[in-house]
Amino acid sequence: MPSILHRRRLGAALAAALALLAAPSAFPQAPSDKAARIIVAGPPGGSLEVVSRLLAEGLQKEMGKPVIVETKPGAGGAVAVNDLMQSPHDGNTMIVSLDAMVSEIPHIVKLRFDMGKEVKPLAELARGGLVMVGNPSVPAKNVADVIAYVKANPGKVSYASYSPGTVSHVMGLQLNKAAGIDMVHVGYKGTPPALADLMGGHVQLMFAGIPNAIPLIKGGKIVPYAVSLPQRSPNLPDVPTFAELGYPQIEATAWMGLWVTPDVPAAAQAHLRDAALKVMAQPATRERLREFGLDAGQPRMPDELAKSLRSDYERIGAVLKSIDFKPE
């Protein structure tokens, strides 16, 4: 009898153990030990790749496994998102991209999927703004001078954007409306050709990303007038914000984020977010960002990031609709 009772108890214990193993764990689970992959939604050598490699270096230490960085430029991030969608949705594949991938690109490019539904922002990694710059030949030392110059030369002063439909384009439209001027927009496919034409005098003005403009400003090749940030940039402390100059509507802060597909397990999402924020908060990482002209990101929650994306998408869409802008 005791032996039968013992066997029954042993069987019950074994069944309970097997049931526990089969049930979903109540404890957070990190992504598997296989190598992680960061897809960069931008070209090699760009600011997105710089931030991605800083992140990958730190994540390798935090996660204890290799983190591979691959650049997949094209279609404003759609090529990178397509790669992400076709990869396992287990938290080992992620994207580093600008917020514009969701807030601006759907207005600019006809996509076969809804960008806002296919990706979810996990963490803000870094942020920066735009700076209004001009060719040194423009007879202007500040924004007031620029406005006076444009008014004195109606329809003859052009400004470049790094792509039609982006905030670089929209900010010029906003200044036109706010100041009652008529700068002519010239859209480019990327920042390098736009800056090259600015320095060559083919266009007089541009709204450029601060990291791209800083070396040229320091070299005296272009002149800065105002930044789009809420506060002055530490990298351009003598350049005022548009808000300081009486144009609070011309404010834009671009941020680089870490994104996954929404169906990645919640525990894996939390693990990735926590690890990424820890890496980006390190003093050495922040200093590297500052040297590149970027500020550290803010620890906003994913729902806060999603809310800001929706707001920016609607704001930019309204401005583009006012000029009857059509996507390519």
Side-chain angles (χ1 to χ4, degrees):
M1 187 72 177
S3 61
I4 294 175
L5 181 60
H6 176 73
R7 285 197 298 274
R8 286 177 178 173
R9 288 176 175 171
L10 182 61
L14 180 59
L18 290 173
L20 182 62
L21 289 173
S25 174
F27 299 98
Q29 298 295 309
S32 68
D33 290 334
K34 71 177 184 180
R37 187 165 68 104
I38 294 176
I39 306 170
V40 184
S47 55
L48 283 171
E49 186 185 17
V50 171
V51 171
S52 296
R53 294 200 179 279
L54 283 175
L55 176 64
E57 183 180 339
L59 285 182
Q60 288 186 159
K61 297 175 183 177
E62 290 295 320
M63 300 169 69
K65 63 180 183 180
V67 180
I68 301 165
V69 175
E70 297 180 11
T71 55
K72 290 291 181 74
V79 173
V81 171
N82 187 62
D83 189 335
L84 179 71
M85 291 163 59
Q86 295 182 22
S87 302
H89 298 187
D90 57 4
N92 280 295
T93 305
M94 62 209 87
I95 282 179
V96 169
S97 175
L98 285 168
D99 56 334
M101 178 174 69
V102 172
S103 63
E104 299 175 21
I105 297 303
H107 292 302
I108 304 168
V109 182
K110 291 181 180 179
L111 302 172
R112 62 179 181 81
F113 50 79
D114 188 334
M115 193 82 85
K117 292 182 179 179
E118 298 297 345
V119 292
K120 175 183 177 180
L122 284 188
E124 181 183 318
L125 305 175
R127 54 173 38 209
L130 276 69
V131 56
M132 183 183 184
V133 291
N135 183 285
S137 65
V138 174
K141 295 182 179 179
N142 50 49
V143 171
D145 288 348
V146 169
I147 292 171
Y149 174 64
V150 177
K151 286 183 175 180
N153 296 275
K156 297 180 180 179
V157 180
S158 57
Y159 78 95
S161 74
Y162 45 72
S163 179
T166 63
V167 67
S168 179
H169 176 189
V170 168
M171 285 181 64
L173 298 176
Q174 290 176 312
L175 184 58
N176 272 349
K177 182 177 179 180
I181 56 178
D182 62 348
M183 295 183 297
V184 179
H185 171 248
V186 181
Y188 287 80
K189 292 184 176 181
T191 295
L195 284 173
D197 272 9
L198 177 68
M199 289 185 290
H202 301 291
V203 289
Q204 291 82 31
L205 305 165
M206 180 180 178
F207 292 87
I210 291 176
N212 301 105
I214 284 176
L216 302 178
I217 292 171
K218 291 182 177 179
K221 296 181 179 180
I222 56 178
V223 178
Y225 299 120
V227 297
S228 70
L229 296 168
Q231 297 86 31
R232 295 193 181 197
S233 168
N235 293 283
L236 297 169
D238 297 327
V239 180
T241 67
F242 278 102
E244 285 181 64
L245 302 175
Y247 301 102
Q249 67 273 59
I250 306 177
E251 181 180 307
T253 302
W255 51 271
M256 298 179 187
L258 181 68
W259 314 68
V260 294
T261 55
D263 58 349
V264 167
Q269 291 188 33
H271 180 78
L272 274 176
R273 171 181 163 80
D274 291 345
L277 289 178
K278 184 176 180 180
V279 170
M280 302 310 292
Q282 294 172 1
T285 304
R286 287 173 174 261
E287 178 59 23
R288 293 277 296 278
L289 290 175
R290 191 196 66 78
E291 291 172 356
F292 197 68
L294 295 167
D295 296 324
Q298 296 182 353
R300 293 186 289 172
M301 297 299 293
D303 59 342
E304 292 179 281
L305 296 173
K307 183 178 179 181
S308 74
L309 288 168
R310 288 192 296 271
S311 176
D312 288 343
Y313 174 83
E314 292 170 0
R315 175 179 56 82
I316 291 170
V319 175
L320 294 177
K321 185 178 180 180
S322 72
I323 62 167
D324 198 29
F325 180 86
K326 303 295 183 184
E328 296 179 357

